[in-house]
Amino acid sequence: MIFRLGELFCGPGGLAYGATHADIGNDDFKIVHAWANDYDRSTCDTYIHNICPDAPDSVMCGDVRKLDLDATTTIDALAFGFPCNDFSVVGEQKGFDGTFGPLYSYGIKILKIHQPQWFLAENVGGLRSANEGKAFKKILQDMKDAGYKIYPHLYKFEEYGVPQARHRMIIVGIREDLPYEFKVPSPKPYENIDNTCKTALECPPIPENACNNELTKQSAKVVERLSYIKPGENAFTADLPEELKLKVKGAKISQIYKRLDPSKPAYTVTGSGGGGTHIYHYSENRALTNRERARLQSFPDNYEFQGPKESVRRQIGMAVPCRGAQIIFEAILKTFANIDYPFVEANQSTDLDK
């Protein structure tokens, strides 16, 4: 059973890489790229370069609100990591009242047009609380109304071997006329994986000629400030001389000039933010390179990001970790292949309002 995958809000290809590399030991069950969409040119170029270099026209670069969705080719599966800006716990949490909140509805439209056998939708964990929880319930209901059994779960990717604390709401849907029940894959098989950020960045060492590995320019003052910050500390918890302290009123964000703790997974890689938010090395007085950030997102070293350096930084921060995505896609394939796998018991699950 070969599933042709369509993607909305595809980003640089974290979900697509996980999908197309999903392997359950049975070549009759796999996922292949059909088409994808994103609004950002550099992001689309990254996706094309790494996922479908022989089919560049299969990536529709433009605002989803202006696409002719009815003209998209038939698909068997849909993935959509709908924009999370308005559902994130960082910021104002505008939910449906924001610019990005309603964009999930374009995924619903594709479900109604093509009725794929299954879908995977991704968003931030804060989705559950946006609009006092009403946004999440509305989204789940719309998915059900489109004809799907749904399986939402808050995945903590560091529990699945990803070297980064990244919590995302993933909703798997299976068309209601199909005799399959998805089960959330258990993190237990990944308990003994060394997923510390130190191991991720050093084993093996990043090749000298690796792409996207340029150092960030930093002022002498920033370097001096970092010299006082110990692994795991930030600009507000470290013992800094008065002249190096940040003059910030109000909330003190914990990730400002925060050094990684080499004995733990990294804290969450983000796609935007000014000075002090680039993620800082545990032993060197510098920000991580984009290639190092990509490793924390479990992209392979030969995955080449296209576009200017800041665009690449944003692409990496907005992506779904490849390794985590692959685990979920493999669970979907095993579901359709009737292959048993370790799963999270219902009373242990964080899924909501089925």
Side-chain angles (χ1 to χ4, degrees):
M1 196 176 293
I2 308 301
F3 297 100
R4 295 165 294 175
L5 179 70
E7 267 196 275
L8 294 179
F9 321 110
C10 65
L15 280 176
Y17 187 90
T20 56
H21 285 76
D23 183 358
I24 61 170
N26 183 341
D27 289 340
D28 291 336
F29 291 85
K30 62 182 180 180
I31 304 166
V32 297
H33 164 79
W35 52 258
N37 157 256
D38 201 276
Y39 75 98
D40 179 71
R41 183 69 258 173
S42 293
T43 301
C44 291
D45 289 342
T46 295
Y47 188 101
I48 292 167
H49 183 80
N50 295 279
I51 303 299
C52 54
D54 297 327
D57 292 340
S58 67
V59 178
M60 301 166 283
C61 192
D63 190 327
V64 70
R65 291 167 290 196
K66 298 178 182 178
L67 287 185
D68 182 1
L69 299 181
D70 289 303
T72 53
T73 57
T74 301
I75 53 173
D76 308 296
L78 174 69
F80 60 114
F82 53 103
C84 60
N85 310 55
D86 292 326
F87 297 123
S88 176
V89 292
V90 179
E92 299 179 50
Q93 257 207 354
K94 296 177 181 178
F96 289 134
D97 298 324
T99 303
F100 302 102
L103 292 181
Y104 83 94
S105 64
Y106 290 87
I108 303 297
K109 290 178 181 178
I110 289 290
L111 293 179
K112 291 179 177 178
I113 291 169
H114 293 302
Q115 285 286 289
Q117 295 183 56
W118 56 266
F119 72 81
L120 182 151
E122 178 268 343
N123 204 275
V124 291
L127 174 64
R128 295 176 301 165
S129 56
N131 293 97
E132 300 176 334
K134 295 176 183 176
F136 189 48
K137 290 182 179 180
K138 166 68 171 163
I139 290 170
L140 295 185
Q141 189 60 52
D142 285 352
M143 292 172 171
K144 291 177 184 177
D145 291 345
Y148 290 83
K149 299 172 287 188
I150 57 171
Y151 307 89
H153 184 76
L154 182 67
Y155 288 80
K156 298 180 179 180
F157 283 120
E158 67 273 22
E159 296 179 354
Y160 291 85
V162 175
Q164 176 195 171
R166 195 176 189 90
H167 301 170
R168 289 295 184 269
M169 179 58 65
I170 305 284
I171 306 165
V172 171
I174 295 179
R175 207 172 64 210
E176 59 187 3
D177 64 310
L178 298 175
Y180 305 105
E181 292 291 337
F182 177 77
K183 293 182 173 63
V184 173
S186 171
K188 285 187 178 180
Y190 311 95
E191 284 179 335
N192 296 320
I193 290 178
D194 181 353
N195 67 334
T196 64
C197 58
K198 186 178 193 296
T199 296
L201 299 185
E202 295 185 13
C203 300
I206 293 175
E208 289 186 10
N209 62 346
C211 56
N212 309 119
N213 201 35
E214 320 86 65
L215 291 171
T216 298
K217 294 178 181 179
Q218 294 168 156
S219 69
K221 188 172 185 178
V222 166
V223 173
E224 186 179 3
R225 180 181 291 122
L226 289 170
S227 71
Y228 286 92
I229 300 175
K230 299 175 182 176
E233 292 184 340
N234 62 46
F236 304 108
T237 58
D239 184 14
L240 295 177
E242 191 63 35
E243 68 274 11
L244 295 176
K245 291 181 179 179
L246 299 180
K247 307 299 188 285
V248 177
K249 295 182 179 180
K252 296 180 178 179
I253 301 174
S254 63
Q255 292 191 6
I256 298 295
Y257 291 109
K258 184 174 182 178
R259 274 197 191 275
L260 294 172
D261 182 334
S263 66
K264 297 178 181 179
Y267 54 91
T268 305
V269 177
T270 58
S272 60
T277 62
H278 287 68
I279 303 186
Y280 294 84
H281 201 277
Y282 40 84
S283 62
E284 299 176 21
N285 296 327
R286 62 173 180 84
L288 296 191
T289 67
N290 278 328
R291 178 50 52 194
E292 289 171 325
R293 291 159 56 83
R295 275 204 174 183
L296 298 179
Q297 284 277 55
S298 63
F299 281 97
D301 286 346
N302 63 356
Y303 204 95
E304 295 186 27
F305 294 87
Q306 308 293 301
K309 187 178 176 185
E310 277 305 305
S311 171
V312 170
R313 179 191 172 206
R314 182 185 60 78
Q315 292 175 47
I316 294 169
M318 296 294 283
V320 178
C322 303
R323 190 179 304 163
Q326 183 172 339
I327 289 168
I328 302 170
F329 283 118
E330 287 177 347
I332 293 172
L333 291 179
K334 288 176 181 177
T335 298
F336 277 80
N338 291 309
I339 296 174
D340 290 333
Y341 58 89
F343 60 88
V344 175
E345 299 290 345
N347 62 354
Q348 298 174 320
S349 182
T350 56
D351 52 355
L352 302 171
D353 294 327
K354 286 188 180 178

